[in-house]
Amino acid sequence: MGVDLDTRLRTVVGAGAKRLEDARGLRTVADLLNFLPRTYLDPARSTSFREIPHGEDVVVVGTVTEAVLHQMRARKGRMLVVTVSDEFGGRIKLTFFKPFGHQDRLVPGARVVCSGQVGTYKETLQLTHPDYAVLDDPTGKSSGGWLLGGLVPVYPATPRLSPIVHGDLLDLVLHALTDLPDPLPEDVRARKGLPDLLEAYTLVHRPRTEADHRRARWRLKYQEAFVIQAALARARLASDATPAVPRTPVPGGLVDALLDRLPFELTDGQRAVLQEIHDDLRRDVPMHRLLQGEVGSGKTVLALLAMLTVVDAGGQAALLAPTEVLASQHHRGITAMLGPIAEGGMLGGMDNGTRVALLTGSQSAAERRKALLAAASGEAGIVIGTHALIQDTVQLAELGLVVVDEQHRFGVEQRDALRAKAALAPHVLVMTATPIPRTVAMTVYGDMTTSTLRELPRGRQPITTHVVTGEKERWVGRAWVRVAEEVRGGGQVYVVCPRIGAEDDPDLPAGSTVGPGLPMSPRGQGAPATDTDADADADAPAIEDGTADGGDDEDVAGPGPQLHGVHQVARALRALPATRDLRLEELHGRMTGEEKDRVMRAFSAGEVDVLVSTTVIEVGVDVPDATTMVVLDADRFGISQLHQLRGRVGRGGRPGLCLLVTQGHEGDPGAVERLQQVAATTDGFELARLDLETRREGDVLGATQSGGRSGLRFLRLARDEDLIVEAHEAAWATVEADPDLATLPALRRELDRLDAERAAFLERG
Ligand code: ADP
Ligand code: MG
């Protein structure tokens, strides 16, 4: 039986497979082949040893110039010290405390490749008990033969696995392979002049020249992009094959009634997008449209118009929000905007008006029953809730449109589940305020068509952002004075903290300026938490978007100094002379839905001046009088997240102010610079691009498509735009020509593998 990608390494390399698995988790031929070199060394042009940084894992190539056995003073036995020189006069010493077996191989004149961690001893570089291979070994040992004649591949350092053993095992595998089924269609390969799969793996692991491995890498990336695009194309074709009910706009209906009622004109951008949505809704294939636009760009109005279009045409629409706070807020906002339009059948309501039903977990059973009934009977044209609720409990008589607010908490699988609720596929409109760079849109939302709102409605107030660093204690003090001034001027203030903390967190320093000099709580120093409630705060990993897991909020924590907690900061502000007279409330994910709702309502009504909260307020919250935001430990938040957060202010008639307070962060030297970048621009697309550059792809995919694909292997979304566009075009053409991939079994198998990976990823949670 031939060896292929799924073959277990054990059957190819025998006992050595255990080392690969233990050290690196490599189990199959594909695992080993896809573990790519980090870089390559050119033995013909090795850099001087003098430039080798200490403490690094290196591979060096040189010639043995001296080999001496020393009698050790402190203990019995002898030590072998071998001097290896490079052609630039640099020297490095190899030391072996057990010379046996080495002294007859490391003889002057031998060319060697050695690897290990570089140390220094008496000012000479040295490697202690390094791995090495002797090229043209006089004793005829075959190890390391692959090092001859080409570039030397250097893999990410792997403890417990000698690079030379790794290379020898890889050699066995490469020799065992005679050909590999290639997921890339031959015509695509020919057109682009790409090596086939086996050749690509050979070139990337055993290149003779730089050009070899570049070409091979490009091809592997291209394949990854191609396979993803093919999967998206097939998903799109499949869903286009499911019919949807066309919802043709009806003149003189609720849409026109709302347009008449709105106190403003739609912007040109909004008008254009509404047209695109109407064109989609007219068709008998389901709409899959992603609507992206800055916070405040007027997406919600458009969504409402889309929903009313469907209601006019006899259908129902569901609006799914990521959190209960947002669902309630949408309900309030939409009901107010609709006025009599949403009072169908009620006194003073519009004759042919509709109803808006809200479903939340914190409703009373009676309220919930009423809402469910209104939804099921079709009396409510619009149903609003969190996706969990709507997915699990609601029956919709005539679901025609699903609007998803903030896609990054809503993955493909949830979309599928909802789609399954209606006999015919509903149209889907997804709104996101996180601007999505083109490559991410194509890779993550490639099965959707994108609309973008670029202009903000007129009258939008600018937001000014300042970075306040903790060491400038007076500045932080001034920040709180500024907060008090804002409130006196009629504004409201958000104070955002990275964690909730415990009620009994230590006080901030007396007369504190909240910011610098935060005391370390015992937990911060790694002592075990004493109460269960604190567990959530302990060592939760830093999260980039606060949205990755679909929860209401999540504490952002990590190594470093203790971070500000909501309880602690609220207490400090109640004591601080500048702020103690302000009306202050807390908001965080550990409160019940009802409590959160009460606080949000009070804040919206202007009964609260300062809201101290976690990122629970991040998405979509709209309080026009909120003018100021103070983000504490701002360095712990991602670029896009900060941009989202500050979008909460300046939504009314007054300009917004955002203060990013940071104590600096030793483990993250780029932190302050990142904050400066956020302060320097309000262009969300620019920031999204920056974000992409500073984050790993796995995070991007994880955060934008919760529960989605497990990550990318070779592609870098920040850098590979051209390649992704090319692969997109080729893959969609391929799938359109042969939707069942009957002529492309290898591509089919690769897509199945992708599905399986995704399923496994979802099972793991
Ligand atoms: P988004 O959902 O994109 O964050 P919203 O739809 O909530 O934005 O709009 C933000 C605010 O701007 C709302 O108060 C909304 O009523 C208002 N608005 C929307 N479109 C316009 C427009 N064309 N002109 C003026 N104000 C608008
Ligand atoms: Mg919105």
Side-chain angles (χ1 to χ4, degrees):
M1 211 192 71
V3 175
D4 69 15
L5 290 177
D6 296 322
T7 307
R8 292 264 154 186
L9 286 168
R10 199 179 335 111
T11 63
V12 191
V13 304
K18 186 160 164 37
R19 292 204 192 174
L20 293 170
E21 172 151 10
D22 291 349
R24 266 285 163 193
L26 307 173
R27 290 188 195 90
T28 64
V29 166
D31 291 343
L32 184 61
L33 293 177
N34 286 326
F35 183 60
L36 299 192
R38 175 169 65 81
T39 182
Y40 302 85
L41 299 175
D42 186 349
R45 275 193 326 166
S46 73
T47 53
S48 171
F49 292 170
R50 286 188 209 129
E51 289 160 26
I52 293 173
H54 299 190
E56 283 236 333
D57 284 305
V58 294
V59 176
V60 296
V61 184
T63 305
V64 175
T65 46
E66 194 182 43
V68 186
L69 278 170
H70 293 284
Q71 185 64 48
M72 283 189 282
R73 254 176 263 137
R75 40 183 165 139
K76 263 197 353 209
R78 290 189 303 168
M79 177 173 108
L80 175 66
V81 179
V82 175
T83 306
V84 173
S85 308
D86 69 9
E87 59 210 273
F88 307 98
R91 291 188 313 154
I92 192 164
K93 291 208 156 139
L94 317 184
T95 50
F96 297 88
F97 295 100
K98 296 202 171 87
F100 180 76
H102 303 298
Q103 71 215 61
D104 46 348
R105 302 181 66 208
L106 294 168
V107 293
R111 289 278 293 161
V112 290
V113 180
C114 339
S115 84
Q117 201 179 58
V118 183
T120 36
Y121 179 70
K122 290 186 179 163
E123 295 185 14
T124 358
L125 295 176
Q126 82 166 8
L127 295 172
T128 305
H129 271 268
D131 287 306
Y132 68 92
V134 177
L135 310 174
D136 50 34
D137 190 329
T139 66
K141 279 210 190 171
S142 70
S143 171
W146 49 273
L147 287 158
L148 286 170
L151 299 180
V152 177
V154 183
Y155 295 84
T158 305
R160 292 170 298 146
L161 179 63
S162 139
I164 290 165
V165 171
H166 175 208
D168 288 346
L169 295 174
L170 182 57
D171 234 31
L172 288 176
V173 169
L174 287 171
H175 282 113
L177 289 166
T178 46
D179 80 317
L180 281 175
D182 197 327
L184 285 183
E186 188 141 13
D187 62 315
V188 172
R189 250 170 29 223
R191 200 151 11 98
K192 304 240 174 264
L194 301 177
D196 71 30
L197 187 55
L198 179 53
E199 193 186 349
Y201 280 129
T202 309
L203 290 176
V204 81
H205 291 290
R206 298 286 176 263
R208 307 211 137 246
T209 64
E210 292 281 327
D212 281 352
H213 71 79
R214 292 236 174 80
R215 220 174 127 229
R217 272 171 197 277
W218 201 89
R219 129 101 223 192
L220 292 173
K221 277 196 214 186
Y222 186 86
Q223 175 180 324
E224 182 165 42
F226 186 92
V227 168
I228 290 170
Q229 293 299 329
L232 290 166
R234 289 191 85 207
R236 181 59 192 257
L237 280 189
S239 84
D240 281 1
T242 327
V245 180
R247 308 286 178 179
T248 309
V250 177
L254 302 181
V255 170
D256 287 346
L258 177 60
L259 288 172
D260 282 347
R261 245 187 82 78
L262 286 178
F264 49 76
E265 295 282 304
L266 293 186
T267 63
D268 290 345
Q270 282 172 317
R271 235 187 279 279
V273 172
L274 185 60
Q275 187 62 50
E276 290 173 335
I277 292 173
H278 279 171
D279 290 345
D280 282 354
L281 292 176
R282 252 186 262 274
R283 301 174 60 208
D284 60 2
V285 297
M287 167 167 82
H288 294 274
R289 190 165 284 279
L290 176 70
L291 171 54
Q292 50 173 338
E294 289 280 318
V295 168
S297 60
K299 297 182 298 295
T300 307
V301 180
L302 282 176
L304 186 51
L305 289 165
M307 292 194 282
L308 291 179
T309 307
V310 169
V311 174
D312 278 340
Q316 286 175 291
L319 171 58
L320 313 192
T323 65
E324 295 224 332
V325 168
L326 288 170
S328 302
Q329 183 181 290
H330 269 309
H331 182 250
R332 270 197 303 280
I334 283 174
T335 311
M337 218 183 281
L338 290 176
I341 300 173
E343 293 167 7
M346 297 203 293
L347 201 63
M350 215 174 118
D351 284 348
N352 55 346
T354 186
R355 294 283 190 85
V356 181
L358 173 69
L359 276 170
T360 73
S362 49
Q363 277 172 323
S364 71
E367 280 176 310
R368 172 112 53 107
R369 211 169 319 116
K370 218 172 99 199
L372 284 171
L373 191 66
S377 67
E379 181 193 336
I382 296 176
V383 182
I384 300 175
T386 61
H387 52 72
L389 255 173
I390 291 194
Q391 238 165 270
D392 295 345
T393 51
V394 77
Q395 289 297 325
L396 289 161
E398 184 61 42
L399 182 61
L401 170 66
V402 177
V403 177
V404 183
D405 191 10
E406 308 304 344
Q407 160 75 7
H408 44 299
R409 299 201 185 195
F410 195 74
V412 169
E413 293 73 25
Q414 285 97 323
R415 263 188 267 159
D416 289 346
L418 249 182
R419 220 173 271 145
K421 283 198 108 58
L424 294 167
H427 298 281
V428 176
L429 176 67
V430 170
M431 303 191 287
T432 171
T434 314
I436 300 170
R438 183 168 179 226
T439 51
V440 180
M442 287 182 85
T443 306
V444 184
Y445 309 109
D447 59 335
M448 306 192 109
T449 321
T450 306
S451 295
T452 307
L453 286 175
R454 288 185 184 276
E455 61 183 326
L456 292 186
R458 267 181 298 282
R460 226 355 130 74
Q461 295 298 317
I463 301 171
T464 311
T465 305
H466 297 290
V467 180
V468 180
T469 50
E471 67 260 20
K472 304 235 166 73
E473 221 167 290
R474 277 197 8 249
W475 290 20
V476 184
R478 282 231 302 275
W480 298 116
V481 171
R482 185 68 200 272
V483 161
E485 281 168 7
E486 280 296 326
V487 172
R488 269 198 297 280
Q492 287 170 284
V493 180
Y494 295 103
V495 177
V496 181
C497 306
R499 54 178 207 112
I500 304 169
E503 298 283 356
D504 62 353
D505 273 344
D507 280 339
L508 296 166
S512 162
T513 47
V514 186
L518 195 66
M520 298 281 278
S521 84
R523 262 202 314 285
Q525 291 160 334
T530 46
D531 56 320
T532 48
D533 198 33
D535 284 358
D537 301 330
D539 288 309
I543 45 165
E544 285 287 343
D545 240 302
T547 52
D549 66 344
D552 270 8
D553 62 2
E554 190 71 23
D555 287 1
V556 180
Q562 184 68 12
L563 303 174
H564 290 88
V566 170
H567 297 313
Q568 197 179 32
V569 169
R571 212 176 330 127
L573 293 180
R574 285 189 179 111
L576 200 66
T579 51
R580 69 178 157 216
D581 297 328
L582 307 181
R583 295 166 301 172
L584 182 146
E585 287 281 354
E586 301 178 8
L587 184 74
H588 55 75
R590 225 180 273 148
M591 292 159 59
T592 65
E594 215 168 327
E595 285 173 319
K596 279 188 279 190
D597 213 44
R598 179 189 62 76
V599 170
M600 256 343 275
R601 223 181 263 269
F603 190 66
S604 301
E607 292 155 13
V608 171
D609 301 317
V610 179
L611 192 65
V612 182
S613 79
T614 55
T615 54
V616 69
I617 50 119
E618 177 187 357
V619 211
V621 170
D622 192 6
V623 177
D625 281 335
T627 52
T628 303
M629 173 171 288
V630 181
V631 184
L632 296 171
D633 302 308
D635 51 280
R636 296 311 173 98
F637 299 89
I639 289 176
S640 289
Q641 193 182 18
L642 289 170
H643 182 59
Q644 288 263 338
L645 280 168
R646 71 179 165 182
R648 306 292 120 230
V649 299
R651 294 172 75 90
R654 267 173 299 202
L657 172 69
C658 175
L659 301 175
L660 304 176
V661 182
T662 170
Q663 309 173 67
H665 185 9
E666 268 179 29
D668 186 3
V672 174
E673 192 191 332
R674 222 165 48 229
L675 298 182
Q676 300 289 9
Q677 288 171 328
V678 175
T681 178
T682 50
D683 179 343
F685 277 91
E686 178 59 30
L687 291 171
R689 254 193 309 277
L690 277 172
D691 209 11
L692 194 55
E693 277 163 24
T694 55
R695 294 163 67 181
R696 296 280 313 162
E697 270 64 21
D699 301 338
V700 175
L701 293 184
T704 45
Q705 189 190 25
S706 66
R709 216 163 286 115
S710 53
L712 296 173
R713 199 171 260 142
F714 307 127
L715 275 177
R716 292 294 166 259
L717 295 178
R719 276 185 266 139
D720 295 326
E721 177 160 349
D722 292 347
L723 179 148
I724 290 170
V725 172
E726 280 180 46
H728 170 90
E729 277 158 20
W732 284 66
T734 299
V735 170
E736 271 159 22
D738 179 6
D740 294 328
L741 306 180
T743 60
L744 300 162
L747 178 56
R748 241 195 122 107
R749 203 162 332 127
E750 207 53 41
L751 294 181
D752 291 343
R753 210 194 303 266
L754 197 71
D755 280 347
E757 255 174 46
R758 190 149 87 179
F761 180 74
L762 286 176
E763 261 161 46
R764 264 183 277 128

